[in-house]
Amino acid sequence: MSRFWQNFVSNGNTVDPDEPRPRAVPSEAEAMDAFSTVVVGVAEALRPAVVNLRTGNGSRGGSGSGVLFAGDGFLLTNHHVVAGAKSVRVRLHDGTELGGRVVGNDPWTDLAVVQAEGSGLPFATLGDSAAVRVGQLVVAIGSPLGFESTVTAGVVSALGRTLRSVSGHLVDNVIQTDAALNPGNSGGPLVDSRGRVIGINTAVIQPAQGICFAVPVDTAKTILPQLMARGRVTRGYLGLHARQVPIAPDVARTFDLTQKTGVEIQLLEEDGPAETAGLWVEDVLIGYAGRPVAAVDDLHRLLTQLPVGDPQTVVLLRDGKRITRTVRAAEYQTA
């Protein structure tokens, strides 16, 4: 009698005894897949640093989210969350309520800085949004519709988008994600798999599903010193809107370029400094004031750092040619 039939008769088992036995039911921890493990880890690390913000009173009040980036209470949020307010109420993850003051805001980027009245507070690490890639895992944390410390996860859907913010300004180079957001998520962090903040959630396209946006954290880091020192940002204004685009390898070789990307002009404001200087829609801007420009954030950084009104050289790629123009940035005026 074969071993199979011997086993069948003695044990009533139709499985070959030489085959591997089924594994024991795994524990909950073992059953977690890599995705769940990452999301749980990020949530546990970041939720203490995410706060709920409230302005005004009753039906006239508003709410949103914010993320602490320093132990002495400094936090990032959206401009439209605290617009018009001088003070706010800050609720921590554990329910503690603190007073807070609006340190500065910037309608251009829809970002603001608030300081909570506390010390030794948990805070998040600001990451590097320039390293973000389409398809990577991201986690959003905030207080949608008043439900505090809500965690959602998704992927980066696209980069380099331009978005008209709630305040009416066009914000360039935003991150698009499908991590579910709702009213109240505004001002909360978008974080990578290591729990580093890569963006500040700012908008949801209604009634679309899975189309949400965040301002890159590199944009925030560029303006933070001015917001904290003066409460506002003094920046040059060119009157253009743009996106990051790749530079074709043959074009890069022709003009001996080391950068792989430039900034394509998508819109020129009538009689603005850029249009007056002779810049065209679809020009690819690769240099400003003698420095390379590979991303929209590079241009924003230079317009924030350089004196307003001084003539600056702009280097462009247009119809297979490399050309230069001279432009004088005006000072951007807040509404």
Side-chain angles (χ1 to χ4, degrees), residues 303-322:
L303 289 170
T304 301
Q305 294 173 347
L306 296 172
V308 173
D310 288 0
Q312 305 291 357
T313 299
V314 178
V315 183
L316 308 164
L317 299 177
R318 177 190 296 171
D319 298 330
K321 299 178 181 179
R322 176 173 175 161

Side-chain angles (χ1 to χ4, degrees), residues 78-267:
N78 283 146
H79 161 73
H80 75 260
V81 169
V82 298
K86 293 184 179 179
S87 62
V88 298
R89 300 192 303 281
V90 182
R91 180 178 293 174
L92 304 181
H93 170 62
D94 63 4
T96 301
E97 290 208 13
L98 305 171
R101 66 183 182 94
V102 178
V103 175
N105 52 46
D106 183 38
W108 180 293
T109 58
D110 195 26
L111 293 173
V113 173
V114 171
Q115 186 177 22
E117 297 173 349
S119 60
L121 301 176
F123 61 92
T125 299
L126 302 184
D128 177 12
S129 55
V132 174
R133 296 293 179 264
V134 173
Q136 79 174 65
L137 168 67
V138 287
V139 177
I141 308 176
S143 302
L145 304 173
F147 295 100
E148 297 179 22
S149 298
T150 297
V151 177
T152 60
V155 299
V156 173
S157 305
L159 299 169
R161 300 299 199 201
T162 297
L163 173 72
R164 188 172 297 279
S165 71
V166 175
S167 59
H169 295 80
L170 285 175
V171 184
D172 291 324
N173 207 36
V174 297
I175 301 169
Q176 180 182 333
T177 174
D178 69 351
L181 302 178
N182 288 285
N185 271 114
S186 293
L190 186 71
V191 301
D192 63 16
S193 59
R194 294 187 178 183
R196 300 170 302 189
V197 179
I198 58 171
I200 301 299
N201 298 316
T202 188
V204 181
I205 299 298
Q206 298 286 3
Q209 296 184 15
I211 303 180
C212 308
F213 299 95
V215 179
V217 75
D218 287 358
T219 298
K221 290 191 290 187
T222 297
I223 66 173
L224 270 177
Q226 289 196 54
L227 285 180
M228 296 177 70
R230 299 199 298 271
R232 60 184 293 267
V233 178
T234 301
R235 58 162 56 80
Y237 165 76
L238 295 180
L240 61 82
H241 299 282
R243 64 172 183 169
Q244 180 177 316
V245 295
I247 297 174
D250 59 328
V251 174
R253 287 192 296 270
T254 299
F255 298 109
D256 195 26
L257 302 177
T258 57
Q259 66 196 73
K260 296 181 179 180
T261 59
V263 173
E264 181 184 63
I265 298 174
Q266 295 183 290
L267 174 69

